Structures are given as C-alpha cells and as structure tokens.
Amino acid sequence: MTETLPAIGLTVRLAFVTTIMLFALGTPLAWWLATTRNRVKPFIEAVTALPLVLPPTVIGFYLLVLLNPQSPVGAFWVQITGDTLAFSFSGLVVASLIYSLPFMVQPLQTAFERVGRDHMEAAASLGAGRLDMFVSIVLPLSVRGFVTAGVLTFIHTVGEFGVVLMVGGNIPGRTRTLSIALFDHVETLHYDEAHVLAAGLVGVSFAVLAVVFLINRRYPVHAG
Amino acid sequence: MPDKTLDIDLRVCRGGFCLTGLAIIPLSGITGVFGPSGAGKTTLIRVLAGLETGTLASIRFDTETWQNEHRQTPAHKRRIGVSFQDSRLFPHLSVAGNLDYAQRRAAAGIAGPPREVIIGLLELAPLLERDTRGLSGGERQRVALGRALLSNPRLLLLDEPLSAVDARRRAALLPALRALLASYAVPALHVSHSVDEIVCFADRVLGIDAGRIGSLQPVRDWVTTLSGTGVEPGAVLSGTIAARDDRLQLTRIALAGHTIALPGLDSAAIGTVIRLHVLARDVSLATDTTDGLSIRNRLPAMLVDIRDQSGTPYCDIALDIDGQRLVARITREAAEELALAPGQRVFALIKSASLDRDPE
C-alpha cells in the first residue's frame, strides 16, 4: 500500500492539470469548430478526433519520438527546464493533453452548436459584442457541455494506460499512475492490492458519472 | 431640419431566393413592410439588422454607412432594436433578466423610453419574475418587444411583433406603442401581412413581393391600390371624435364637414384625431339621399373612377370625400343600373360595423 498512495496522488494531479489546461485550449478550438464555415473544418475535426481511434501505443510512440531529448522539442525543453520531457510528469501532461483532447472538444462543440444562432443574433441586436455574447449567452447555455467535457476528460486521463506507459515509463512518484500501478500488481501476482485499486477506480468513476447525470438533469438543454 | 433617411440598395441571395431593389425610407414615424409570406420581408429586416453576412447590399443610416461592398457594420454596433417573430428570449434569464440584459447594453446619453413606461405599456409587471420558458406565445412577444425598446434603439425593426398577442390586446397596444415611439422620436419598420395592422399603425408602406422591393407609399394611397393583389381593398379616413352618446352607445365622429356614428363608446378624448379603416365591401352607393335605410352613415362624395374587377361580378368605385379617398365595391350590375360615371355626385353609405378606429 505504500506505493499506492503516491500513485493516486500523481494520477489525480495529472488529471487535474490536464483538465484545467484543456478547458483553456479546448474552449476556443470547440468554439471555432462550432461557428466556422471554413473549408478546412472537417480536417481539423478529423485531427481532433484521431486520439479516439488510434491505438494508444501509436500516440505514445510518436510522442516518445517527439519528446525524447535528442529531438528538437525534447532538446529545447531540456535547455529551458533542465529536465527531460520523456519519462517526466511534464511529458505525461503533454501526452494527456493530446489523447484527452477529443473528450474535451467534442462535448463543448456539441453544446456550442446547440446554443444556436438565434440567441446570439438576439444578443448582437441588443448591443452585445462577440466576447460579451460568449460570456453572457454562450457560456451559461453550455453549462451541461462544460460539466460533461470536464468530467470525461478527467476520468479518461485517470484511466489511460498505453500512452502513459510509453511516454512516462513506470517511475514511482514521478510517472507511475494508478493504471500502471495496477498493471504492476497484476504482473507481480499481488491480486489483493490489484483488487483494491481496480474496485476503487470503478467506484470513483461510477460516482463521478452519476453526479454528472444528476447535474445534467438540473440543467436541461436550453435549445429553442 | 433635413429629413433623415435610411437608404438601401440590395441584391441579397440566400439559397436560391433573392431580395432585390432599392428604397429611401424616412427615419421618422412608422414604415409598414407589407407582402405575402415568403416575399422577403424577414430577409429585409435581417439585412438591415446586420445579421446577414456576405451579402451584396449598400445601406446608409442617415450619414452613417452600415454596409457597402467593402465593409459592414456588425449588428451590435448599429444600435437597432429587433423584435423577432419568434421572440428569442434568453432561456437562462428571467423576464426581468431579459429586460436587464438590454438595459445594461443600451447606449447612454440619449433618453429612450424609461423602463417603467415600457413595463406599463406592455403590461409586463406580473411577468417580471417569471421563467421565460413558462410564457405563452403572446407573453413572449410582449417581453421581446419590451426588451428591444429597452435597448434604446435608433431604429426599431418589428417583425410581426404581436402576431401571437390576442386581437383585443393588440388593438389596444399598437396605438399606444405608436404614441410612445412618436414621443421619443424612434422610427420603426413594421413587418406585417395584416392590412388592418398596417393601416392602424403605419404612416407609409413599403411593399415587397416575390423578392422585389416595391415603392414606398403613404398608407392612404396604399390601401386604395390593393385591389387585384388578393388583399381586401379599402381606404383610410381621418376624422375627429366629436361626441359620445351614452344612451345610444355611439361615438360621433366629425369627418369632412359631416358626422358619422360608430357603435360603442370610444375611450379617446373628444377632439382626438382618429383613423378609420373602411373596407370597400362595406361601402355602398346611393344616387340620392335615401332616408328609409338602416345604414346611418351617409357622406356626399364625388365619383372619381370605376375600376372593373374582371372575372368577378364586382367593380371598385373610387370616391373623393372632400379630398379624402374612399373605395366602394359594388356589383357591375348595380353600377350599370345606376348609370354611374366619373364626375357624378353620389352618397357613400358606410355600414357602421365596418369601422376600425385608432387614435392618431
């Protein structure tokens, strides 16, 4: 059990940082996708959805190639931070941002599209500029989308295994997340500890999803 | 003061439908926009509001260019108020919240109608704390109109703003709204497919048909030209409330040196100038003063023109009553038997029930 607690702490920290950063990155991207008439939109949508269909090992492999200290990105990171991206917490965050991106962008895009042009036009006719309109109309009408996107991103980051293993390895306290620890316990035939971790993940995931659906019931869709 | 105008020259195409034409609309009083469904009325409102992008249009509001081939002023900088046909209230805000939304963004410095006056006019007080989702269609439209007014607009665009409000309330609301807009000098474009509504509310009418913007006409001229368009022809008369008869339940109205009586006691003060919408089918003709008739309202008139309604048993007779126009629809048989001809002196018999009234 002494190895479990740091793994939980690390996993929660990773999921938290990833979710916050994806809110900041995913919101403008989802807004652009929901409102643009640009011809490149389908291609950007496809790129955004790629992590859903690619095997995690593929993403992990490319990230490793990209982040290792010999690559330009990895070398630059070492230069400014003195630490490597591969096999580090920062590297895990970068990897999580990429593989959890669709879980943030897709619910947000759907929510933004559902707000519809009608209310935005009404707001514009009343003198609301673009940013004002986004804050005063789009955000409040997309509460459900934000809750769903945040929770899905968080849970998915908690549960990812393949990419984390490839990019982060298995360094206790540094890159060993819950799912890696669970894998370790099974490999070394420590089934009791594996049971605790597995059941814990199932329980927490269920509880979080139940809360989401309860919240969604309180914030009905505002379309129309 | 040189009159301010809204100058438009449009060629707007949307999914196979085009709206084209030009108009110079005075920025005073109320301009009715009339036409059948699908004629392009709503498109015109949207282009004026700046809600259509990528269109070929040139729009000038007084000295301000709103749109030309190079640039387009975004909707939120035009300072217009739009009352949408489908209300478009914000569902996450209460009725009061919707009004606040407009008021907070209203341009400062110019005195628009105050909040209490708007709430009073549209009878919004009992609705203020309500959730917008529980409102009826008519209530939603009243709130939307109030919201548009509260944004302190320089031009009000009304797209069938009271179509879901019941007829009685609408009849009371339109004149009051007219008076409010006049006292704060807010010009308005009022889209409607109801002749009655245009007659009661508008000063002039811009016709739109099948994507063509037509000419701008004073409402009085416009009503007399409606024959053949599938719309009931009629005319607008101006009169003054002269007296109320409590015993007979009549309101007497002075008109062109004569008096006619309307059933019902009009609440407007004696001396108020009013408009009467008289449908052509409610006007009959007589060649002498016939006394044994139940139709009480007889006005001496000069016959101006006889317009044959080919394919029907009727003809429309244009009349002049001391400079005011009136149209009578009678059968061709009657016209022949009475040997009617332009220049003839006749009497116009107005069935009293046909009179709508509206304080001007």
Side-chain angles (χ1 to χ4, degrees):
Chain A
M1 275 285 119
T2 49
E3 288 177 7
T4 305
L5 277 180
I8 292 177
L10 179 74
T11 306
V12 170
R13 195 152 64 93
L14 176 66
F16 192 74
V17 170
T18 303
T19 308
I20 297 295
M21 288 181 75
L22 271 182
F23 270 131
L25 299 172
T27 304
L29 176 59
W31 177 245
W32 182 81
L33 286 173
T35 54
T36 187
R37 290 182 201 156
N38 198 308
R39 259 176 256 157
V40 303
K41 173 184 165 179
F43 302 100
I44 305 294
E45 275 183 306
V47 171
T48 311
L50 267 185
L52 286 176
V53 294
L54 285 177
T57 44
V58 172
I59 303 173
F61 171 67
Y62 280 123
L63 279 170
L64 207 54
V65 170
L66 186 74
L67 302 182
N68 83 77
Q70 273 78 50
S71 80
V73 175
F76 176 72
W77 187 263
V78 172
Q79 215 177 13
I80 58 164
T81 66
D83 197 3
T84 60
L85 261 178
F87 309 113
S88 72
F89 182 75
S90 309
L92 281 191
V93 171
V94 172
S96 305
L97 289 179
I98 288 168
Y99 69 68
S100 291
L101 184 68
F103 294 86
M104 176 62 74
V105 171
Q106 292 193 349
L108 286 184
Q109 188 185 340
T110 308
F112 293 158
E113 282 168 354
R114 196 170 278 169
V115 170
R117 296 195 59 78
D118 288 4
H119 291 128
M120 294 195 251
E121 288 181 355
S125 79
L126 294 170
R130 284 179 69 84
L131 184 64
D132 180 3
M133 182 177 75
F134 186 80
V135 173
S136 62
I137 303 295
V138 178
L139 283 189
L141 290 181
S142 308
V143 171
R144 268 180 85 145
F146 275 95
V147 172
T148 307
V151 168
L152 285 182
T153 303
F154 191 90
I155 296 184
H156 185 251
T157 309
V158 166
E160 182 50 42
F161 175 77
V163 179
V164 174
L165 189 63
M166 294 211 40
V167 175
N170 183 7
I171 306 166
R174 190 165 147 91
T175 62
R176 173 190 262 185
T177 62
L178 268 178
S179 50
I180 307 278
L182 175 60
F183 177 70
D184 247 15
H185 292 318
V186 176
E187 285 278 277
T188 52
L189 301 178
H190 290 116
Y191 273 41
D192 288 349
E193 295 180 2
H195 266 302
V196 172
L197 275 186
L201 270 178
V202 171
V204 169
S205 300
F206 171 79
V208 171
L209 286 175
V211 168
V212 172
F213 290 123
L214 279 174
I215 291 176
N216 279 356
R217 238 173 47 158
R218 283 201 40 210
Y219 288 91
V221 182
H222 283 305
Chain B
M1 173 179 87
D3 287 339
K4 295 178 179 181
T5 54
L6 175 67
D7 304 351
I8 56 177
D9 183 358
L10 308 179
R11 176 157 187 88
V12 177
C13 290
R14 276 280 170 275
F17 172 81
C18 290
L19 175 68
T20 56
L22 44 97
I24 297 174
I25 301 167
L27 287 172
S28 65
I30 292 157
T31 305
V33 178
F34 182 84
S37 304
K41 306 188 293 286
T42 297
T43 306
L44 174 66
I45 293 296
R46 291 182 56 81
V47 172
L48 290 178
L51 299 174
E52 293 285 346
T53 50
T55 58
L56 211 59
S58 96
I59 304 171
R60 222 184 51 198
F61 179 88
D62 192 20
T63 56
E64 216 174 283
T65 300
W66 274 358
Q67 191 174 343
N68 59 25
E69 64 262 52
H70 306 298
R71 49 177 296 277
Q72 183 174 354
T73 306
H76 69 272
K77 294 211 173 118
R78 294 193 183 186
R79 291 204 26 237
I80 34 95
V82 185
S83 185
F84 295 95
Q85 207 172 350
D86 51 357
S87 316
R88 304 194 180 180
L89 301 182
F90 301 131
H92 60 297
L93 300 173
S94 67
V95 170
N98 271 273
L99 298 181
D100 293 341
Y101 192 95
Q103 202 170 5
R104 268 201 302 273
R105 287 162 182 80
I110 305 144
R115 188 184 173 98
E116 315 78 64
V117 172
I118 293 168
I119 288 175
L121 171 80
L122 297 163
E123 297 175 57
L124 298 178
L127 304 179
L128 286 177
E129 298 313 315
R130 294 266 298 274
D131 188 327
T132 56
R133 278 166 291 179
L135 302 179
S136 73
E139 288 169 335
R140 295 179 68 84
Q141 287 189 331
R142 275 152 54 207
V143 176
L145 180 55
R147 189 176 68 172
L149 282 168
L150 263 174
S151 70
N152 200 0
R154 296 185 295 178
L155 171 66
L156 197 56
L157 303 172
L158 307 168
D159 191 357
E160 306 262 4
L162 301 172
S163 55
V165 174
D166 61 275
R168 257 183 87 143
R169 190 174 234 144
R170 186 167 59 226
L173 243 172
L174 284 176
L177 177 61
R178 220 183 116 78
L180 181 75
L181 294 179
S183 60
Y184 287 93
V186 182
L189 253 68
H190 175 241
V191 168
S192 179
H193 58 247
S194 151
V195 177
D196 264 354
E197 213 173 284
I198 298 252
V199 164
C200 286
F201 196 51
D203 298 303
R204 63 194 83 81
V205 183
L206 184 68
I208 298 188
D209 197 9
R212 289 287 315 171
I213 296 175
S215 60
L216 196 64
Q217 291 179 307
V219 71
R220 272 162 234 283
D221 298 349
W222 172 77
V223 237
T224 60
T225 61
L226 286 172
S227 43
T229 58
V231 177
E232 281 244 43
V236 179
L237 294 178
S238 275
T240 312
I241 294 188
R244 267 189 290 268
D245 189 324
D246 288 330
R247 187 181 69 84
L248 295 171
Q249 295 281 302
L250 289 174
T251 304
R252 297 192 192 281
I253 291 167
L255 201 162
H258 300 266
T259 304
I260 62 172
L262 309 186
L265 292 170
D266 204 281
S267 54
I270 306 289
T272 306
V273 177
I274 61 159
R275 271 186 200 180
L276 310 170
H277 181 207
V278 188
L279 290 175
R281 67 173 149 91
D282 290 325
V283 181
S284 304
L285 290 185
T287 47
D288 52 21
T289 44
T290 38
D291 287 323
L293 267 180
S294 68
I295 300 174
R296 307 301 304 159
N297 298 318
R298 277 166 244 169
L299 297 172
M302 154 94 86
L303 202 157
V304 177
D305 188 20
I306 301 174
R307 286 181 299 231
D308 224 32
Q309 303 299 305
S310 55
T312 75
Y314 303 105
C315 57
D316 284 359
I317 312 288
L319 303 165
D320 182 293
I321 300 168
D322 254 22
Q324 300 206 53
R325 290 291 286 262
L326 191 64
V327 180
R329 169 157 291 190
I330 61 174
T331 60
R332 283 194 287 206
E333 184 189 32
E336 281 169 21
E337 273 181 20
L338 293 172
L340 295 178
Q344 196 175 341
R345 314 281 330 177
V346 291
F347 292 90
L349 309 177
I350 302 170
K351 293 174 205 161
S352 42
S354 71
L355 301 172
D356 298 316
R357 56 188 100 78
D358 166 44
E360 196 164 88

